[in-house]
Structure formats: structure tokens, C-alpha cells
Amino acid sequence: MSGAPEDPRSVDTRAARVPAQRTSRTGAPGPRRIPAPRAPERTLLGYRLPALTSMVLIALFCLLGLGTLTFQLAGTVRVFFAEAALGLVFGAATLLFGFWLFRRIRPVRAPDLPASLVAVLWGMTAATGGALLANSALSGVWSKTMGLAFTSAWGAALTAPLNEELFKLVGIVLVAVAFPRALRGPVDGFVLGALVGLGFEVTENLIYGLNTVAMAGGVNGAEAVVQTTVLRVVLTGFGSHWAMSAVAGAGVGLLAAAGWLPGRRRAVGALLLVLTAVGMHWLFDSPLLDGFAGIVFKVLLNFAIALAVYFAFRHAHRRRVRRALAREGEEMGLRRSSAVALARRRARRRALREVPEAERAEAGRVQELMVEEAEDRAFANRV
């Protein structure tokens, strides 16, 4: 234990105060370096052609998807306007909660907001609109080649896992290229994949609710919408689209972390994650393990797979950021324990509460710059 007097502005991380400047053995202040603000990402109006191309494609396909959904649902919405409005209310509540939750699970700090919004938008429009057309076409192929009985039992399992997971995966890749700093590793891919799946699920819930109302002839329409929402959000929502696309997104993150030039091991890992997502979707839609108990089992299995993937990559993500923060602290003359503590949101908030209010904004800025710089160091694939 050092015999130097404690800096009155800070103590160790357990007291959760602002990281203090380290002192040398002679009592002189250690080196001090405030990280410079990060240069803005050059996209769209800059000269990153891949990002510009990706954003153009995202905008184009989102408009096409929205147009497809409008064409397909306009008549039903006009007839059952009140039920559609109720479905939109439930969808908005699901979207807001899921958006907060999935952005919150990213360790260290929340993901890039524009990238998160674009991911959700892709899932709500481009992915659902494209899958709606592709599912209809492929179902027709199964009906003609395999017969109506086979298609009735297995059509969903042979159609949705291919089309829907493909459209969601394309969106994750486009977001990764358009916002390269937002997706630089498996955890980022997991979170943005979950957001794409969330958007897809919200739109699909609305479609299913309206279809249920139409099939019931409009009788007890509000009840049908509520039942559909409860079934698809409360019962099956834990292991539905968000979980599948999150696992696939982690595979995209593996590729992005290698600058899209992965070695064999990383490429195989990414492929296995994507195939796992397809397999999760296949089992979910298959007639196997039918009935309430079987549905619960499928949901819990998908949820467990998603959690296993998340925690495996989360641990590695936090470890790399902590190491980078330790180096940041060394360069700024901060105690190692205090610098490493910045990897936790709660520790950062506690630390800011110990700063005089007049200095709190600047201290928060330094914190964020340190974390950004640490993440840049932790993920060496600079863009």
C-alpha cells in the first residue's frame, strides 16, 4: 500500500469516484493526456464509397419493402381500421421496450443510435416486405412439387428459415458496412441483429393480428388482436426473430472484426452461427414437438442458445475493453483500477456524482472519450 496521501478528489473504484491523476514516487504528478475528440466517421457526405452504397441500398430496399407492405395490407387496414390501430399501439409498445432493452445489453456503452434505428427500420420494412413476397413464391413451389398436405405441415419450416433469415442477414451486413464503427465485433453484431429481428417481429405481429381478424370475419376483432399479441410477444417472443437474427448477427460481427477478410477458423465460426440461426428458425416453425409444451420447449431452447452466444462474446468484449482502458489510464496517469472501472456504466455514473456540478459535463466528456478510445484500441480493425 502506498504511503502517499490520497487525492481528496478520488478514492479507489469501490468508492466509485472520478479516476484520480496518479502520482509518481517523488510526489510529482504523473503524465496527463486528455484523449482528443474522435474524428467524425466519414460516411455518406464524405468519401467512403462502401458506406454510401450501403445506405443507398438500405434506403431503396426499405422503400420497396414499405411499398410491398402497404400494397398487401392497405385493404385489410381500411376494413379493420380500429383493429389495425390497436395492433399499432401494441407494436409501438413492443418496439420501444425492445429497442431500450437490446441497446442496453451491449456492454460498456450503448450502440450507435443511427445504426440502431436503421437496423430496426430494415427489419420493419425491407426484411418483412421482401420475405412476404419470397415466402409466397416459395410456398407455391412446395405446393406444386410436394403436394398440399406436405406443404401444410412443413411449408413454413422449409420457407421462412431460408427467406426471412436471408433478408434479415442482408440487412445486418448492410448496416455493418454503412456504419463500420457500430459493428466491429460479435457483440455488436448480436445487438444489431437483435434490433433487426425486433423490427421484423413488430411488423409480423401486426400482419398476423390482421390476418386473424380477417379469418374470424371481423367478429371480436380487438380480442383477436390482443390474443395474437399475447401469444407472439409473451409466449413465443423470448425465442423468436430477435434471437435468431442476433445469433446470425454475431457471425457477421466475427467477419467484421477481421476486416471482412477472415481466416478459415473465423469464417467457419461465422458460417456455423448463421446456420444455427437458420436451424433455430426451422425448429421453431416445424411441426415437430407440436402442442403447448413443445412450443415452450422451442422458445426456451432458442432463448438459451441466444444467451449462450451473447455471454460467450460479451466476456471477451469486456476483457478487451478493460485491457485497453488500462493502457489509456497508464497514458493519462490514472490508477489502473480507476481506469478499468470505466468499463461499467454504473461505475461511470457513480464517479460523475462525486464531481462538482460545474465540472460534471467536462468529466463526462473525458469519460466518454476514454471509453471510445479504448474501444478503438480493443478492436484493432480501424476503419
Side-chain angles (χ1 to χ4, degrees):
M1 180 178 297
S2 171
E6 190 71 77
D7 190 321
R9 296 174 301 170
S10 62
V11 293
D12 62 20
T13 53
R14 289 171 294 184
R17 297 206 179 187
V18 177
Q21 185 175 2
R22 193 180 55 192
T23 56
S24 67
R25 292 181 181 178
T26 62
R32 181 72 170 173
R33 181 186 67 84
I34 301 298
R38 190 181 67 192
E41 184 179 338
R42 288 169 176 167
T43 60
L44 297 183
L45 300 179
Y47 46 82
R48 290 200 67 259
L49 183 59
L52 175 60
T53 303
S54 295
M55 285 303 298
V56 170
L57 290 174
I58 289 171
L60 175 62
F61 283 109
C62 284
L63 287 174
L64 290 174
L66 180 60
T68 299
L69 292 170
T70 301
F71 178 78
Q72 295 284 341
L73 300 177
T76 306
V77 171
R78 282 197 301 268
V79 176
F80 303 110
F81 182 80
E83 291 81 358
L86 180 61
L88 285 173
V89 170
F90 286 132
T94 304
L95 181 63
L96 289 174
F97 176 76
F99 190 78
W100 169 82
L101 178 63
F102 292 138
R103 295 187 78 241
R104 183 64 181 79
I105 66 174
R106 185 185 187 274
V108 184
R109 63 194 182 106
D112 182 70
L113 181 59
S116 301
L117 292 172
V118 171
V120 170
L121 181 64
W122 177 274
M124 293 181 68
T125 57
T128 46
L132 194 63
L133 295 177
N135 286 348
S136 178
L138 192 54
S139 294
V141 172
W142 299 137
S143 297
K144 290 182 179 180
T145 58
M146 302 294 183
L148 292 177
F150 176 87
T151 303
S152 176
W154 286 95
L158 297 178
T159 301
L162 299 178
N163 294 331
E164 295 175 7
E165 293 308 315
L166 175 61
F167 278 101
K168 290 188 292 180
L169 182 65
V170 168
I172 300 168
V173 173
L174 288 175
V175 171
V177 176
F179 302 93
R181 284 188 178 275
L183 203 163
R184 296 185 295 182
V187 166
D188 293 329
F190 185 96
V191 172
L192 291 176
L195 290 170
V196 170
L198 171 68
F200 191 101
E201 197 162 338
V202 166
T203 301
E204 190 179 68
N205 289 350
L206 176 63
I207 294 172
Y208 270 77
L210 291 176
N211 288 343
T212 302
V213 173
M215 287 188 294
V219 179
N220 298 325
E223 181 180 342
V225 171
V226 172
Q227 289 177 347
T228 301
T229 301
V230 171
L231 175 65
R232 295 183 59 81
V233 175
V234 179
L235 178 60
T236 65
F238 284 93
S240 189
H241 286 286
W242 75 266
M244 304 162 191
S245 56
V247 172
V252 175
L254 280 176
L255 302 181
W260 305 101
L261 295 172
R264 178 179 300 178
R265 180 179 178 183
R266 190 178 290 266
V268 169
L271 178 62
L272 288 177
L273 287 168
V274 172
L275 292 178
T276 298
V278 173
M280 292 164 65
H281 203 151
W282 176 84
L283 179 62
F284 191 85
D285 285 348
S286 76
L288 301 176
L289 302 175
D290 208 1
F292 180 79
I295 292 175
V296 171
F297 173 79
K298 295 176 183 180
V299 170
L300 293 179
L301 178 62
N302 282 359
F303 185 66
I305 293 173
L307 283 186
V309 171
Y310 169 72
F311 280 111
F313 290 122
R314 175 181 179 270
H315 177 72
H317 183 99
R318 291 176 67 91
R319 184 176 65 247
R320 293 176 68 174
V321 173
R322 284 194 183 105
R323 285 202 300 262
L325 279 169
R327 293 196 296 271
E328 282 288 301
E330 181 72 21
E331 293 177 4
M332 293 181 64
L334 305 180
R335 296 185 184 89
R336 178 186 176 89
S337 58
S338 297
V340 169
L342 295 178
R344 301 194 307 272
R345 291 180 176 89
R346 184 176 300 176
R348 295 200 297 270
R349 290 194 297 267
R350 286 200 303 261
L352 287 178
R353 286 197 292 267
E354 300 296 330
V355 179
E357 187 172 354
E359 303 173 10
R360 198 166 294 169
E362 178 64 15
R365 185 187 71 84
V366 173
Q367 279 188 352
E368 290 304 313
L369 289 175
M370 281 191 66
V371 173
E372 288 180 3
E373 181 73 14
E375 287 196 324
D376 282 345
R377 286 190 173 199
F379 300 96
N381 175 33
R382 294 179 180 271
V383 288

